Amino acid sequence: MSLPFDGAISRFLAEDAPHHVRAALDGAGTKEIVTPGYPYDRWMAKADYECELSALQLELVKLQHWVRRSGTRLVILFEGRDTAGKGGAISRFTLNLNPRVARIEALDKPSEDEARQWFFQRYIERLPQAGRMALFDRSWYNRGVLEPVFGFCTEAERARFFVQLPAVEQMLIDEGMHLVKLWLEIGQAEQLRRMLARERDPLKQWKLSAIDVEGLHKWHAYSAAITDTLARSDFGFAPWTVILADDKHRARLAVIRKVLSSVAYHGRDDALVGVPDPAICGGPELRLGNGRG
Amino acid sequence: MSLPFDGAISRFLAEDAPHHVRAALDGAGTKEIVTPGYPYDRWMAKADYECELSALQLELVKLQHWVRRSGTRLVILFEGRDTAGKGGAISRFTLNLNPRVARIEALDKPSEDEARQWFFQRYIERLPQAGRMALFDRSWYNRGVLEPVFGFCTEAERARFFVQLPAVEQMLIDEGMHLVKLWLEIGQAEQLRRMLARERDPLKQWKLSAIDVEGLHKWHAYSAAITDTLARSDFGFAPWTVILADDKHRARLAVIRKVLSSVAYHGRDDALVGVPDPAICGGPELRLGNGRG
Amino acid sequence: MSLPFDGAISRFLAEDAPHHVRAALDGAGTKEIVTPGYPYDRWMAKADYECELSALQLELVKLQHWVRRSGTRLVILFEGRDTAGKGGAISRFTLNLNPRVARIEALDKPSEDEARQWFFQRYIERLPQAGRMALFDRSWYNRGVLEPVFGFCTEAERARFFVQLPAVEQMLIDEGMHLVKLWLEIGQAEQLRRMLARERDPLKQWKLSAIDVEGLHKWHAYSAAITDTLARSDFGFAPWTVILADDKHRARLAVIRKVLSSVAYHGRDDALVGVPDPAICGGPELRLGNGRG
Amino acid sequence: MSLPFDGAISRFLAEDAPHHVRAALDGAGTKEIVTPGYPYDRWMAKADYECELSALQLELVKLQHWVRRSGTRLVILFEGRDTAGKGGAISRFTLNLNPRVARIEALDKPSEDEARQWFFQRYIERLPQAGRMALFDRSWYNRGVLEPVFGFCTEAERARFFVQLPAVEQMLIDEGMHLVKLWLEIGQAEQLRRMLARERDPLKQWKLSAIDVEGLHKWHAYSAAITDTLARSDFGFAPWTVILADDKHRARLAVIRKVLSSVAYHGRDDALVGVPDPAICGGPELRLGNGRG
Ligand SMILES: Nc1ncnc2c1ncn2[C@@H]1O[C@H](COP(=O)(O)OP(=O)(O)O)[C@@H](O)[C@H]1O
Ligand SMILES: Nc1ncnc2c1ncn2[C@@H]1O[C@H](COP(=O)(O)OP(=O)(O)O)[C@@H](O)[C@H]1O
Ligand SMILES: Nc1ncnc2c1ncn2[C@@H]1O[C@H](COP(=O)(O)OP(=O)(O)O)[C@@H](O)[C@H]1O
Ligand SMILES: Nc1ncnc2c1ncn2[C@@H]1O[C@H](COP(=O)(O)O)[C@@H](O)[C@H]1O
């Protein structure tokens, strides 16, 4: 069985990658951070990470229990560039949760019929009912970032999206949803490194889509679309949380802590939950803080 | 088979109706207008009505043809108190139309599941696709008028409805819908007269619901809710058309003319379509103009 | 605005119609029956028809009342060739019914998404809930007759349809639906006459679809598909009712009587309802009885 | 936060568990098999399991790739008593799969509206489209086993289920689905052991539902319902696979091997996939083979 994108990533590294990206990867150890300006040099040690993670798991289970009992509706959006770690963060989050309570919503590209409906409709249909949570692996923000970069929507459609967006999110909140919007941010060299790893690992090759491969060449268009999108959708009533996700361990812990600290569930162990590490977790300004964006 | 509301309407007439209502009905001929301030004394003559109606039917067929060809999405809301003539206007409108193109949407009271969703959701799911029209026999405006009067929604839910409403209707329009909002207005004596007629006619008794009967006693609460609703939802981008509907003939012609003149379909016979009679068709101010409301 | 099928029907009459069809139309009066073997010479007189119809309307209203109270689920399929009078029969049937109780389901050709689902799915989703009736203007039987004749389905799909059909209808019945399957049958000359009338009447021209026009040329293919379909789907638990519909008046009365006599609703006036005229209403054998089919 | 079922399981062990169950648990080591007649004494060693599992992961990725390219529709039902390991098997199965391709469907108890629809409807709506797979964590077989045991359906509803079942599954297959039905079977002592572990582990306490706790007392009613269900639904065109799941390691490998060997995907490494271990994987007779059932 031949692979879908034989060597496209290595070729990009060899031929097209900017010099600073190539330099950053050169000789970098696997757990070494290659993104300039990242507040840590290396990934958090695995043992520490696992220890914290498993303590937090119990809090997630309490959160779930409370969501169910109180009839809460919790919506969490996981956004970020390809390879930013959305899927991995979601699977750690849901590891001990009940799939009948915590649903993962990974919507496909719109079908022909869906493409003719109101853009938000298929998302609205998948909002959680009382006592449930929905974790969206990508969301309506595709229309802010990915779709324009790939030409999947027109400029007019994107403009309309931004006009409707505040009203739609306001409604969700009016309807009693808790909405947490997470942006996982990674650097250009780190993204390339992860794609190279996927290219080499037969298990992960499926994760490489045409969109990822093409996306490599569109780093700057993406950056502009992201900066614009976050600026225009960081509403007081529905703010963005940006998590610097070059270190997957720290990022996953921050994701979980962010959600836990956003919801005042019964029995929360505040000492344990604490606050997400402010060095890697903040508002949209964090993204721009260190030469990203 | 015993009737559902034996005599409840006559009883209302005998015992509870305000004096001026009783007086208005006293000795009034069937085609005589009993609503004070109505710009005409009597119904339009049947022959004239039928002649105009059948000329307009051809225009409706042209409209339908154009909607289909051009991929237009036309949404018409029929609103008004009980017995105002929504159903009758819809059936004359659709008489010669293709049910695959012009759908009538008469939504039931929300099911348990629907009651838990976003209020607008079930309406949004029934919006017409390209090349289709939807005629709503009652609509989301139930939440502005009928639901609060009968205690089917809370004050907070009604307040939320009005916050979301402009955004929702704006979106429909952004999505390319043509939206026509029609309010059929009748006077109190006229309403009672129509209910008495239903009470007497076994064929029409089914049309009497508990809501109608109770509604008789809530005329003023209704009036206040209507005035408030029309004032708060007469948007520049989605205005209300009020039609004084005490004369069913004139009202139906005005409904059709209003819709025909709102859509610039190919081949429109402007001389024939003309404009709806301004004496009975205008904005919300028309309702208040003559002691109604 | 130019007409969609200018003169196609007259051209068919002049050039392609079989001799016996042309002969039958030659000089026939409008209310004269042109189908050989029809048990009556002329349409039922309008006055008699209207008198019976309005008596039956009251029974329909009682039926509706009972459906609602008893939580019955009533499904009526209206099938037949183009111009057989499905739409007209439905509108007389529903004239005095509440659109929130008696829904008309006129499904469009399947969307791309629907075309990929299980064939029966979109029909199942539109079955009535308890206390409601659904009148289908065409139904899943499209796959038995119209789709193969026009090449909209493959032979294999049609074969699968017939394998699944008894199980599906059995399920509906197991789920507590009352299912009435009506086939409106007309002769070839009568069909052509109706199409000619549509061609001449600007109001009715919209009813002429490409399918109708092409269908004229496929009379025999249709006949074979109909005969085959009725034979294979006349189940003991869900039999067909064939109504010879060349006389629209008698046909509509038979439709209503058939439904009324199929449901044992409370308060039925058996003397009035009686049985549908056996000369024009029976099983599939009736179709073949007089040189049709 | 107090726990939902404090001590209910230990109490069952102390007071109600049959003698042979208590005896089997007495002094049993964690990886020791406590189910009489199980073909192995101990769980498969973790290292061996992980090694085989990761080799099979690559095959699952190839399967996914092929499903997508070929437009296959793959449906896998995971059934079994509480604690049988359905959820764990599903998460190992999907570990490296794309959530946009391989969806997990864990349906909640039916909503009021769903309870009024055709029983199979909500499952049918969740069948995968072309190029997708759906893993059902419990399925329509709830109506065969769990619902009658807990009184959630009537005998008549269960009878109807079995009448409709062959037709429904036949249709799925006619519509081009690949259907794999997996029954994970565990012994009574093993089930109790797993529940005790859940009781003690705060992380897993959420997995204890009222149904689990009550279910302990209904072992024999369950057994009878399972035996009956498997016997009546082991169709030639849609057979059951029973997997003796007391050893979770072996069971998960067998689940994956069973699915991989059922689908002739491109590039399958037959030497690696092999066949599922026949000592723990077979037809319904396997369940009864050793005093289970
Ligand atoms: N033609 C399209 N129009 C709109 N969105 C699309 C289109 N093609 C792909 N997408 C969306 O792009 C996103 C990224 O796709 P892909 O990279 O394949 O998935 P993943 O995020 O799982 O790696 C998905 O949300 C997908 O729905
Ligand atoms: N491509 C198609 N595939 C399947 N069914 C179709 C297709 N095109 C039309 N139909 C069906 O053919 C039937 C007849 O169409 P038409 O003659 O336009 O409607 P009507 O019955 O209202 O006159 C409708 O039920 C329609 O859904
Ligand atoms: N009242 C009910 N009617 C029908 N099914 C029910 C009812 N209550 C629970 N169920 C079903 O019982 C199954 C088992 O429930 P539970 O033990 O809570 O879930 P899990 O399998 O996730 O442990 C689920 O499929 C659920 O949908
Ligand atoms: N309990 C309810 N909650 C909300 N709307 C209702 C309720 N009962 C009736 N209605 C609506 O009231 C309108 C008139 O009802 P009826 O007169 O019964 O046809 C319809 O639009 C119904 O959907």
Side-chain angles (χ1 to χ4, degrees):
Chain A
M1 203 170 58
S2 81
L3 289 170
F5 301 104
D6 268 329
I9 313 292
S10 323
R11 219 151 42 234
F12 178 81
L13 173 66
E15 294 168 17
D16 300 305
H19 180 256
H20 69 92
V21 165
R22 237 175 296 167
L25 291 185
D26 206 31
T30 32
K31 300 289 149 175
E32 211 169 295
I33 304 286
V34 296
T35 303
Y38 196 79
Y40 301 96
D41 288 343
R42 308 182 52 80
W43 284 36
M44 184 181 191
K46 189 159 190 184
D48 295 347
Y49 158 68
E50 288 186 339
C51 169
E52 287 199 36
L53 182 64
S54 66
L56 291 170
Q57 290 290 326
L58 179 52
E59 291 300 308
L60 285 171
V61 168
K62 288 193 221 163
L63 169 70
Q64 170 180 262
H65 187 77
W66 180 83
V67 160
R68 204 170 194 173
R69 288 298 138 103
S70 62
T72 296
R73 307 169 74 185
L74 177 57
V75 181
I76 313 173
L77 309 188
F78 289 82
E79 279 290 352
R81 296 180 194 252
D82 295 308
T83 77
K86 302 178 291 292
I90 290 172
S91 57
R92 267 62 174 197
F93 195 105
T94 55
L95 198 63
N96 288 288
L97 302 186
N98 182 340
R100 280 183 238 290
V101 177
R103 292 187 59 87
I104 302 172
E105 297 292 353
L107 272 71
D108 236 295
K109 76 173 183 211
S111 72
E112 291 99 332
D113 290 4
E114 287 170 342
R116 276 197 224 94
Q117 296 170 345
W118 180 37
F119 174 71
F120 287 99
Q121 187 160 334
R122 61 189 196 128
Y123 296 102
I124 286 174
E125 285 165 9
R126 278 169 185 81
L127 291 171
Q129 36 165 177
R132 300 284 178 266
M133 41 181 135
L135 294 90
F136 282 88
D137 181 343
R138 299 182 176 276
S139 70
W140 47 86
Y141 282 99
N142 268 9
R143 180 133 298 175
V145 179
L146 181 141
E147 293 193 12
V149 168
F150 282 91
F152 295 151
C153 72
T154 65
E155 260 316 301
E157 284 170 329
R158 185 171 188 263
R160 204 158 72 209
F161 167 76
F162 279 111
V163 170
Q164 300 183 346
L165 186 63
V168 169
E169 295 194 354
Q170 182 65 66
M171 268 175 235
L172 301 192
I173 285 160
D174 290 347
E175 295 298 315
M177 312 268 164
H178 286 246
L179 176 61
V180 181
K181 308 194 298 191
L182 303 175
W183 182 269
L184 304 190
E185 172 70 13
I186 52 167
Q188 192 175 6
E190 180 62 27
Q191 185 186 47
L192 183 52
R193 178 157 73 165
R194 292 183 186 182
M195 292 221 186
L196 287 165
R198 287 189 181 179
E199 189 183 59
R200 275 191 304 270
D201 180 351
L203 255 178
K204 291 189 172 163
Q205 277 153 356
W206 68 267
K207 290 197 176 182
L208 281 178
S209 69
I211 280 180
D212 300 343
V213 175
E214 264 195 74
L216 279 178
H217 297 269
K218 296 178 188 284
W219 179 267
H220 293 293
Y222 252 107
S223 297
I226 296 167
T227 304
D228 181 59
T229 295
L230 296 192
R232 294 168 74 177
S233 56
D234 191 38
F235 311 123
F237 55 85
W240 274 105
T241 296
V242 166
I243 291 172
L244 302 183
D246 304 279
D247 172 352
K248 280 191 185 178
H249 291 163
R250 286 193 174 88
R252 289 171 191 164
L253 296 175
V255 161
I256 296 175
R257 286 211 157 85
K258 180 70 208 172
V259 175
L260 291 173
S261 60
S262 304
V263 183
Y265 59 92
H266 182 71
R268 187 169 68 186
D269 180 340
D270 288 336
L272 177 67
V273 170
V275 291
D277 177 355
I280 63 156
C281 180
E285 67 293 348
L286 192 68
R287 250 188 91 242
L288 304 167
N290 44 14
R292 292 156 180 277
Chain B
M1 201 169 61
S2 80
L3 287 171
F5 302 103
D6 266 331
I9 313 291
S10 322
R11 221 153 36 233
F12 178 81
L13 173 66
E15 297 168 15
D16 301 305
H19 180 257
H20 69 92
V21 165
R22 240 175 294 166
L25 293 185
D26 206 31
T30 31
K31 302 287 149 173
E32 211 170 293
I33 304 285
V34 296
T35 304
Y38 197 79
Y40 301 96
D41 288 341
R42 305 184 53 80
W43 283 36
M44 184 179 192
K46 190 158 189 184
D48 296 346
Y49 158 69
E50 287 185 342
C51 169
E52 288 199 35
L53 183 64
S54 69
L56 291 171
Q57 290 290 326
L58 179 52
E59 291 300 308
L60 284 171
V61 168
K62 288 195 220 160
L63 169 70
Q64 169 180 263
H65 188 77
W66 180 83
V67 161
R68 203 171 196 171
R69 286 301 136 103
S70 63
T72 296
R73 306 168 75 183
L74 177 56
V75 181
I76 313 173
L77 309 188
F78 288 82
E79 280 290 352
R81 294 180 196 252
D82 295 308
T83 74
K86 304 178 290 293
I90 290 173
S91 58
R92 269 59 175 198
F93 195 105
T94 54
L95 200 61
N96 288 288
L97 302 186
N98 182 340
R100 282 184 237 290
V101 177
R103 292 187 59 87
I104 302 172
E105 297 292 353
L107 271 71
D108 236 296
K109 76 173 182 210
S111 71
E112 292 98 332
D113 290 5
E114 287 170 342
R116 277 197 223 94
Q117 296 169 348
W118 180 39
F119 173 72
F120 287 99
Q121 187 161 334
R122 61 190 195 127
Y123 296 101
I124 287 175
E125 285 165 10
R126 277 167 186 82
L127 291 171
Q129 37 167 177
R132 299 285 178 265
M133 40 180 135
L135 294 90
F136 282 87
D137 180 343
R138 299 184 177 274
S139 69
W140 47 87
Y141 282 100
N142 267 9
R143 180 135 296 177
V145 180
L146 182 141
E147 294 194 10
V149 168
F150 283 91
F152 296 152
C153 72
T154 64
E155 261 315 301
E157 284 170 329
R158 186 174 188 260
R160 203 157 72 207
F161 167 75
F162 279 111
V163 170
Q164 298 181 350
L165 185 64
V168 169
E169 294 194 355
Q170 182 65 66
M171 267 174 235
L172 301 192
I173 285 159
D174 290 347
E175 295 299 315
M177 312 269 163
H178 286 246
L179 175 62
V180 181
K181 308 194 298 192
L182 303 175
W183 183 270
L184 304 190
E185 173 70 12
I186 53 168
Q188 193 175 4
E190 181 63 26
Q191 185 184 46
L192 184 54
R193 177 157 73 166
R194 292 184 184 181
M195 292 219 186
L196 287 166
R198 287 190 181 178
E199 190 184 57
R200 275 190 304 270
D201 181 349
L203 253 178
K204 290 190 172 160
Q205 278 154 354
W206 69 266
K207 288 197 177 181
L208 279 179
S209 69
I211 281 179
D212 300 344
V213 175
E214 265 194 72
L216 279 179
H217 297 269
K218 297 179 189 281
W219 179 267
H220 293 293
Y222 252 106
S223 298
I226 296 167
T227 305
D228 180 60
T229 295
L230 296 192
R232 294 166 75 177
S233 57
D234 191 39
F235 310 123
F237 55 85
W240 274 103
T241 296
V242 166
I243 292 172
L244 302 183
D246 304 278
D247 172 353
K248 282 193 185 177
H249 291 163
R250 287 194 174 87
R252 289 173 190 161
L253 296 175
V255 162
I256 296 175
R257 285 211 158 86
K258 179 69 208 175
V259 174
L260 291 172
S261 60
S262 305
V263 183
Y265 60 93
H266 183 70
R268 187 168 68 186
D269 181 340
D270 288 335
L272 177 68
V273 171
V275 290
D277 177 355
I280 62 155
C281 180
E285 67 292 349
L286 193 66
R287 251 188 91 241
L288 303 168
N290 44 13
R292 294 157 178 276
Chain C
M1 200 169 63
S2 80
L3 287 171
F5 303 103
D6 267 330
I9 313 292
S10 322
R11 222 152 37 236
F12 178 83
L13 173 66
E15 296 168 14
D16 301 304
H19 181 258
H20 69 93
V21 166
R22 240 176 294 167
L25 292 185
D26 207 28
T30 32
K31 302 286 146 172
E32 211 170 293
I33 304 285
V34 297
T35 304
Y38 196 79
Y40 301 96
D41 287 342
R42 309 184 51 80
W43 283 36
M44 184 178 192
K46 189 158 191 185
D48 296 346
Y49 158 67
E50 287 185 342
C51 171
E52 288 199 35
L53 182 63
S54 66
L56 291 171
Q57 290 289 325
L58 180 53
E59 291 300 309
L60 284 171
V61 169
K62 289 194 221 161
L63 169 70
Q64 169 180 262
H65 187 77
W66 180 83
V67 161
R68 204 170 193 173
R69 286 300 137 103
S70 63
T72 297
R73 309 169 73 184
L74 177 57
V75 181
I76 313 173
L77 309 187
F78 288 83
E79 280 289 351
R81 296 180 195 251
D82 294 308
T83 77
K86 302 178 291 292
I90 289 172
S91 57
R92 268 62 175 196
F93 195 104
T94 55
L95 198 60
N96 289 287
L97 302 186
N98 182 340
R100 281 182 241 288
V101 177
R103 292 187 59 86
I104 302 172
E105 298 291 353
L107 272 70
D108 236 298
K109 76 172 184 212
S111 71
E112 293 98 332
D113 290 5
E114 287 171 342
R116 277 196 222 95
Q117 296 168 347
W118 180 39
F119 173 72
F120 287 99
Q121 187 161 334
R122 62 190 196 127
Y123 295 101
I124 286 175
E125 285 164 10
R126 277 168 186 82
L127 292 172
Q129 34 165 179
R132 299 284 177 267
M133 41 181 136
L135 294 89
F136 283 86
D137 180 343
R138 298 184 177 277
S139 69
W140 47 86
Y141 283 100
N142 267 8
R143 179 132 299 175
V145 179
L146 182 142
E147 294 194 12
V149 168
F150 282 91
F152 295 152
C153 72
T154 64
E155 260 316 301
E157 284 170 328
R158 186 173 189 262
R160 204 157 72 207
F161 167 77
F162 278 112
V163 170
Q164 299 182 348
L165 186 63
V168 169
E169 295 194 354
Q170 182 66 66
M171 269 175 234
L172 301 192
I173 285 161
D174 291 346
E175 295 298 314
M177 312 268 164
H178 286 245
L179 176 62
V180 181
K181 309 194 299 192
L182 303 174
W183 182 269
L184 304 191
E185 173 70 12
I186 53 169
Q188 192 174 6
E190 181 62 27
Q191 185 185 48
L192 184 53
R193 176 156 75 164
R194 293 183 185 183
M195 292 218 187
L196 286 165
R198 288 191 180 177
E199 188 183 58
R200 275 190 305 270
D201 180 351
L203 256 178
K204 291 191 173 161
Q205 277 153 355
W206 69 266
K207 290 197 176 182
L208 281 179
S209 69
I211 280 179
D212 300 344
V213 176
E214 264 195 73
L216 280 178
H217 298 269
K218 298 180 187 283
W219 178 267
H220 293 294
Y222 252 106
S223 298
I226 296 167
T227 305
D228 180 57
T229 295
L230 296 191
R232 293 167 74 178
S233 57
D234 190 38
F235 310 123
F237 55 85
W240 274 105
T241 296
V242 165
I243 292 173
L244 302 183
D246 304 279
D247 171 353
K248 280 193 187 178
H249 291 163
R250 287 194 173 87
R252 289 173 191 162
L253 297 175
V255 161
I256 296 175
R257 286 211 157 85
K258 179 69 207 175
V259 174
L260 291 172
S261 60
S262 304
V263 182
Y265 60 94
H266 182 70
R268 188 169 68 187
D269 180 340
D270 288 336
L272 177 68
V273 171
V275 291
D277 177 355
I280 63 155
C281 180
E285 68 293 348
L286 192 67
R287 251 188 90 242
L288 304 168
N290 44 14
R292 293 157 179 275
Chain D
M1 202 170 61
S2 81
L3 288 171
F5 302 104
D6 267 330
I9 313 292
S10 320
R11 223 153 35 235
F12 178 83
L13 173 66
E15 296 167 15
D16 301 304
H19 181 259
H20 70 92
V21 166
R22 237 175 296 166
L25 292 186
D26 207 31
T30 32
K31 301 289 148 175
E32 211 170 294
I33 304 285
V34 297
T35 303
Y38 196 79
Y40 301 96
D41 288 342
R42 307 183 52 79
W43 283 36
M44 184 179 191
K46 189 158 190 186
D48 295 347
Y49 158 68
E50 287 186 341
C51 169
E52 287 199 36
L53 182 64
S54 66
L56 291 171
Q57 290 289 328
L58 180 52
E59 291 299 309
L60 284 171
V61 168
K62 288 194 220 163
L63 169 69
Q64 169 181 262
H65 187 77
W66 180 83
V67 161
R68 203 172 196 171
R69 288 298 137 104
S70 62
T72 297
R73 307 170 74 184
L74 177 56
V75 180
I76 313 173
L77 309 187
F78 289 82
E79 280 289 352
R81 296 180 194 251
D82 295 308
T83 77
K86 302 178 290 292
I90 289 173
S91 56
R92 268 60 176 199
F93 195 105
T94 56
L95 199 61
N96 288 287
L97 302 186
N98 182 341
R100 280 184 239 291
V101 177
R103 291 188 60 87
I104 302 172
E105 297 292 353
L107 271 71
D108 236 296
K109 76 173 182 209
S111 72
E112 291 99 333
D113 290 5
E114 287 171 342
R116 277 197 223 95
Q117 296 169 347
W118 180 38
F119 173 72
F120 287 99
Q121 188 161 332
R122 62 188 195 129
Y123 295 101
I124 286 174
E125 285 165 10
R126 277 167 186 83
L127 291 171
Q129 36 166 176
R132 299 286 178 264
M133 40 180 134
L135 294 90
F136 283 86
D137 180 344
R138 298 184 177 277
S139 69
W140 46 86
Y141 282 100
N142 268 8
R143 180 134 295 177
V145 179
L146 182 141
E147 293 194 11
V149 168
F150 282 91
F152 296 152
C153 72
T154 64
E155 261 314 302
E157 284 170 330
R158 185 172 189 262
R160 202 157 74 209
F161 167 77
F162 279 111
V163 169
Q164 298 182 349
L165 185 64
V168 170
E169 295 194 355
Q170 181 66 65
M171 269 175 232
L172 300 193
I173 285 160
D174 290 347
E175 294 299 314
M177 312 268 165
H178 286 245
L179 175 62
V180 181
K181 308 195 298 193
L182 303 175
W183 182 270
L184 304 191
E185 172 71 13
I186 53 167
Q188 192 175 6
E190 181 62 27
Q191 185 185 46
L192 184 53
R193 176 155 76 165
R194 291 182 187 183
M195 291 220 186
L196 287 165
R198 287 191 181 177
E199 189 183 56
R200 274 190 304 269
D201 180 351
L203 255 179
K204 291 189 173 162
Q205 278 153 354
W206 69 265
K207 289 197 176 183
L208 281 179
S209 69
I211 281 178
D212 300 345
V213 175
E214 265 196 72
L216 279 179
H217 297 269
K218 297 177 188 284
W219 178 267
H220 293 294
Y222 252 107
S223 297
I226 296 168
T227 304
D228 180 59
T229 295
L230 297 192
R232 292 166 75 178
S233 58
D234 190 40
F235 310 123
F237 56 85
W240 274 105
T241 296
V242 166
I243 292 173
L244 302 183
D246 304 278
D247 172 353
K248 281 192 184 178
H249 291 163
R250 287 193 174 88
R252 290 172 190 162
L253 297 175
V255 161
I256 297 175
R257 286 211 157 87
K258 180 69 207 175
V259 174
L260 291 172
S261 60
S262 303
V263 184
Y265 60 93
H266 183 71
R268 187 168 69 186
D269 181 340
D270 288 335
L272 177 68
V273 170
V275 291
D277 177 356
I280 62 156
C281 181
E285 68 293 347
L286 192 66
R287 249 188 93 242
L288 303 168
N290 42 16
R292 294 157 177 276

